[in-house]
Amino acid sequence: MPIVTERGFGPDGWATVADETAVADGGDVIVSWKRFVAEAATLTGRAGRIGVAVGPDFDVDLHVAGLDGVALVAIAFAKFADGRGFSIARRLRDRGFAGTIRAVGPLIAEQAPMAFACGIDEIAIPDDLAARQPESRWLRAVELRAAVSYQRGYRTGASVFDQRSTGGAA
Amino acid sequence: MYRYDEFDHAFVQTRVAQFREQVEARLAGQLTEEEFRPLRLMNGLYLQLHAYMLRIAIPYGTLSARQMRQLAFITDRFDRGSAHFTTRQNLQLNWPKLIETPDILAALAEVEMHGIQTSGNCIRNVTSDQYAGVAADEIEDPRPTGELIRQWSTDHPEFSFLPRKFKIAVTGAAMDRAAVAAHDIGIRVVRNDAGEVGYRIYVGGGLGRTPMLARLVREFLPKDDLIAYLEAIMRVYNLFGRRDNKYKARVKILMHEAGTETVKRMVEEEFARLPRAAINVDPAELARIEAYFAPPAYEALGDEPALLAAARQADAGFDAFARANVVAHKQPGYAIVNISLKPIGGAPGDATSAQMRAVADLSERYGFGEIRVTHAQNLVLPDVRQRDLPALYRELLAAGLGDANAGLITDIIACPGMDYCSLATARSIPIAKAIAQRFANPARQQLIGELGIKISGCINACGHHHLGGIGILGLEKGGEESYQITLGGDPGNDAAIGKLLGPGLAGDDVPDAIERIVDLYLAGREAGETFVAAYRRLGHDHFKGALNADRH
């Protein structure tokens, strides 16, 4: 499962651990949100960073206080057409989550710059998708998006609205 | 009119380059059809019954003569010489080739146009009042707000994969000509008690199989907060709108199921929490856009009642045209002219490239080179000198555009229906033609007066049948087309959804039934009473008998 960032494809430095598997001490692991809630004391006390996997119905406002000690939130995208994860990421950033946000699922290259703009740092994509859509497509999508974007307050280059008011050149 | 600056140009040009690469990636198999679909839809490219269809955005319905000529060129070069204006102020080409669509988008970009977000589950082309900026009953021109929303919603990183399509309409006038109550978000420019101009925000309108009128969520929103407030609405919808059933995915269903008060509270909470200052656009930016919509250099003229009265007396055709198609302008000595795209026997909203060029020429000779597209699928010349009206009428007649039926019974709104659309369950255009032929007599049309017939060829209601004084919905029943008739729909200030009159009819029986409905109206109306007003007074049952002869 390659990890896509603004710099291209990279390896996954995190181990995703299934609920029924024991979490080893040391190393960076991602566990389900449910398990994290049940075992928070032990999980945050171990060596190595902890990440939580949340579903597309994760309610940020309900749970954001419980993310203390969490270094990564992995948001599941069931399919690329389901854009809830973009708003979850935005809410996490709005409400002050400063760790890594990962999108997990079959996003397409054109969505990478949108994900990054919403505060997502990396995208874990399935191997077959990576084989069909090479790294160059993802980098190209990021490059094209960097050219112009209108919205303010997103993690993009300067908004067109701001560039106009500061007299910035295109 | 708004003019692109270097940023707007850079955006559409980048988008054309990107779409060209996406088409190549699709042809090379890097993109599956499922993955390509949202990308082509975001550029306006649909796959229809017989071919692709390209939908071109005409933001808030305003076009320049130059843009209209380019549309005519595109229609000739890439289609079969005619194009179709839609109920959402878009233009549709019915026969483009996939491989040529990047070239079409490039030709559009040359004249500051695009097909971006005319399809797909994103924020669609923003629509508005076709008389914006020239209407006598206007608080403020809504188009600068429309343009701001167009830019803000363009390629939005958070709201491009919504549960379903999302439509926004803005009006600045006392009379709602933009059907804001039928939109996911309807915005009315209003003035509060303190005299400040702001926005009244409605959410949750929509037609389709579950028609609902939008509900008021914010009585008065300061102008500077518009973008942050829209983001709050969009975020609540994106997170909580249903995604399990596409027919229940519009924001109207969220409003209906969660309740207006709950959604309102969620929106207000989100609005209170999000970093408003970081999101809102500097008021100077709206002012910059507003400057483009400054009124043109009107001559100091007086109204010309004597001249017009004489011309009307001399020519019955012009008299009918002046009555139906000419509307009061805010500027003395000027008039707004509706150009009907509803010739008797024609397909509603269709225009040939020659007609498009003729309208472009006329807009320059009888105005300031500006044209409007209406949600009723007609065109408008917004700034005609009253004294030029008789000459303009003669030229429109010569171009086959002189029909004096704007707002009358033959000014029928119809979707493309089964003749083009892959979603359709019945034909729309032939029904529209048959009804128009039945009521072709100009004197009879004038006698009947203002009456909106709207036809949809399927439950998705692109023909806005729910909002027609007489609405017609084409369905398929046991392998045959069956047409349901609704009465009492109204897109305006007293917005209402039409009520079903009875069981479906065969297509051939529709004109007879419409005629009986009209006869019942004429028999029951009081002096000066429009169809919808009479319907409200007389009641639904007054019209029940109209269907009895043709049970299907």
Side-chain angles (χ1 to χ4, degrees):
Chain A
M1 200 133 112
I3 302 297
V4 187
T5 67
E6 280 170 314
R7 292 168 302 284
F9 285 7
D12 187 354
W14 292 73
T16 299
V17 181
D19 280 353
E20 58 281 6
T21 308
V23 176
D25 199 25
D28 298 337
V29 296
I30 298 172
V31 298
S32 74
W33 169 250
K34 193 177 130 206
R35 180 173 192 174
F36 177 75
V37 170
E39 303 172 26
T42 11
L43 288 170
T44 48
R46 60 185 278 287
R49 293 180 298 168
I50 195 81
V52 296
V54 304
D57 54 354
F58 183 69
D59 190 331
V60 173
D61 284 346
L62 214 56
H63 301 307
V64 70
L67 290 174
D68 272 358
V70 170
L72 177 145
V73 176
I75 306 166
F77 281 73
K79 47 184 184 177
F80 73 84
D82 184 342
R84 281 178 290 179
F86 296 122
S87 285
I88 292 173
R90 265 292 282 187
R91 270 192 161 175
L92 281 168
R93 292 300 183 212
D94 274 4
R95 315 304 197 240
F97 179 72
T100 300
I101 301 179
R102 168 184 287 192
V104 181
L107 272 71
I108 56 175
E110 281 73 8
Q111 290 176 306
M114 296 179 174
F116 300 146
C118 289
I120 291 167
D121 302 291
E122 55 188 45
I123 307 165
I125 57 170
D127 292 327
D128 63 323
L129 180 67
R132 207 158 27 80
Q133 299 199 357
E135 184 181 39
S136 57
R137 268 204 102 239
W138 295 78
L139 290 171
R140 177 70 177 145
V142 170
E143 177 194 11
L144 284 171
R145 171 75 201 201
V148 189
S149 65
Y150 287 97
Q151 299 75 26
R152 296 186 74 240
Y154 287 79
R155 207 166 66 178
T156 55
S159 143
V160 167
F161 296 129
D162 290 335
Q163 291 188 61
R164 280 175 183 149
S165 59
T166 57
Chain B
M1 270 190 68
Y2 185 70
R3 295 301 311 264
Y4 280 15
D5 68 0
E6 71 263 37
F7 299 104
D8 302 310
H9 276 294
F11 180 82
V12 293
Q13 277 155 10
T14 305
R15 194 57 181 265
V16 171
Q18 186 179 31
F19 188 62
R20 205 178 284 282
E21 290 172 20
Q22 287 163 346
V23 170
E24 283 161 12
R26 170 71 194 112
L27 295 172
Q30 291 181 346
L31 285 167
T32 63
E33 176 54 28
E34 192 200 353
E35 289 164 344
F36 180 59
R37 194 170 165 271
L39 303 175
R40 65 169 164 76
L41 289 178
M42 264 178 223
N43 290 291
L45 190 63
Y46 261 87
L47 193 54
Q48 289 265 50
L49 207 53
H50 310 290
Y52 281 101
M53 178 271 280
L54 183 70
R55 189 180 284 158
I56 298 164
I58 302 171
Y60 36 87
T62 296
L63 275 178
S64 68
R66 176 168 170 256
Q67 289 173 325
M68 187 64 113
R69 284 196 188 93
Q70 185 79 340
L71 292 175
F73 162 77
I74 289 169
T75 299
D76 279 337
R77 169 79 181 72
F78 299 103
D79 205 311
R80 299 179 181 178
S82 82
H84 177 74
F85 289 95
T86 77
T87 53
R88 297 213 71 252
Q89 297 178 318
N90 294 315
L91 181 73
Q92 292 185 178
L93 301 177
N94 281 314
W95 306 100
K97 296 187 184 72
L98 175 61
I99 198 78
E100 289 181 342
T101 48
D103 295 335
I104 303 176
L105 295 179
L108 289 171
E110 281 174 23
V111 293
E112 308 179 6
M113 296 186 76
H114 57 71
I116 295 167
Q117 289 165 220
T118 55
S119 311
N121 294 336
C122 51
I123 301 171
R124 300 287 190 89
N125 181 35
V126 180
T127 55
S128 188
D129 181 353
Q130 66 270 21
Y131 304 151
V134 293
D137 64 339
E138 195 166 78
I139 293 168
E140 212 171 70
D141 190 338
R143 292 174 300 166
T145 298
E147 176 60 24
L148 183 67
I149 294 171
R150 183 193 73 82
Q151 294 187 22
W152 158 76
S153 64
T154 294
D155 212 18
H156 199 291
E158 188 177 344
F159 307 125
S160 291
F161 293 86
L162 297 167
R164 199 78 175 83
K165 60 188 169 187
F166 203 93
K167 301 173 181 177
I168 302 179
V170 195
T171 179
M175 175 63 77
D176 175 11
R177 286 174 289 262
V180 299
H183 287 76
D184 294 282
I185 294 180
I187 302 176
R188 296 196 76 151
V189 179
V190 292
R191 200 183 298 279
N192 68 7
D193 294 340
E196 298 156 326
V197 174
Y199 303 115
R200 185 175 295 154
I201 311 284
Y202 298 83
V203 174
L207 300 174
R209 69 183 58 203
T210 318
M212 290 185 190
L213 299 176
R215 328 270 176 86
L216 180 67
V217 296
R218 191 49 118 84
E219 182 68 35
F220 186 84
L221 180 73
K223 281 179 106 172
D224 300 351
D225 272 331
L226 178 67
I227 299 302
Y229 196 80
L230 292 178
E231 291 214 355
I233 298 170
M234 298 311 302
R235 185 165 302 152
V236 166
Y237 171 58
N238 192 36
L239 284 168
F240 301 106
R242 283 180 63 171
R243 290 176 186 265
D244 59 326
N245 178 341
K246 72 181 261 196
Y247 299 113
K248 296 189 172 172
R250 294 282 291 273
V251 71
K252 64 190 174 186
I253 302 294
L254 179 66
M255 292 286 279
H256 179 69
E257 291 182 351
T260 304
E261 288 310 309
T262 303
V263 174
K264 208 165 134 177
R265 181 176 48 75
M266 288 162 86
V267 168
E268 290 292 340
E269 279 176 13
E270 189 66 33
F271 180 59
R273 280 180 182 162
L274 51 71
R276 212 178 293 185
I279 291 167
N280 278 325
V281 173
D282 190 331
E285 177 58 13
L286 184 58
R288 182 191 76 90
I289 294 172
E290 273 165 355
Y292 286 103
F293 293 94
Y298 292 118
E299 295 169 49
L301 301 173
D303 285 336
E304 305 271 12
L307 181 152
L308 292 176
R312 290 174 71 156
Q313 197 152 25
D315 178 354
F318 177 68
D319 180 52
F321 183 83
R323 187 174 303 138
N325 293 38
V326 177
V327 175
H329 196 287
K330 66 175 184 184
Q331 186 72 16
Y334 284 82
I336 302 168
V337 173
N338 284 276
I339 300 174
S340 169
L341 296 181
K342 314 292 176 62
I344 304 299
D350 276 12
T352 65
S353 55
Q355 289 175 325
M356 290 156 79
R357 286 193 188 90
V359 171
D361 291 348
L362 293 171
S363 78
E364 286 171 334
R365 286 173 33 232
Y366 296 97
F368 300 92
E370 194 176 307
I371 301 147
R372 308 293 178 81
V373 179
T374 83
H375 86 269
Q377 304 176 286
N378 292 318
L379 301 175
V380 167
L381 296 182
D383 298 302
V384 181
R385 288 181 300 204
Q386 290 175 9
R387 62 170 181 242
D388 292 338
L389 286 168
L392 170 62
Y393 171 65
R394 284 191 295 274
E395 298 213 38
L396 285 170
L397 269 185
L401 293 165
D403 289 86
N405 60 353
L408 302 181
I409 191 166
T410 58
D411 184 4
I412 297 170
I413 292 180
C415 71
M418 193 93 102
D419 293 292
Y420 296 98
C421 181
S422 54
L423 301 173
T425 45
R427 294 165 307 146
S428 306
I429 294 170
I431 302 296
K433 288 180 177 174
I435 296 170
Q437 269 150 355
R438 178 67 61 95
F439 291 96
N441 182 327
R444 190 174 181 204
Q445 291 186 53
Q446 286 177 47
L447 173 77
I448 297 165
E450 185 188 319
L451 203 174
I453 297 184
K454 303 180 193 234
I455 308 175
S456 304
C458 82
I459 196 82
N460 292 306
C462 294
H464 296 182
H465 65 276
H466 299 298
L467 300 180
I470 299 176
I472 300 172
L473 166 62
L475 297 168
E476 184 256 304
K477 222 166 150 187
E480 285 187 30
E481 292 168 316
S482 171
Y483 294 87
Q484 291 185 346
I485 294 179
T486 52
L487 298 182
D490 184 352
N493 283 13
D494 300 313
I497 287 163
K499 197 173 156 194
L500 185 64
L501 187 60
L505 311 173
D508 288 346
D509 295 331
V510 170
D512 285 340
I514 302 298
E515 200 161 27
R516 285 195 294 273
I517 291 166
V518 169
D519 288 342
L520 287 166
Y521 156 60
L522 293 176
R525 78 173 171 188
E526 292 177 350
E529 205 173 36
T530 63
F531 178 82
V532 171
Y535 170 85
R536 285 179 179 158
R537 183 178 55 78
L538 294 165
H540 193 69
D541 289 344
H542 176 81
F543 296 92
K544 280 272 184 195
L547 292 191
N548 288 344
D550 303 316
R551 288 288 283 269
H552 180 56

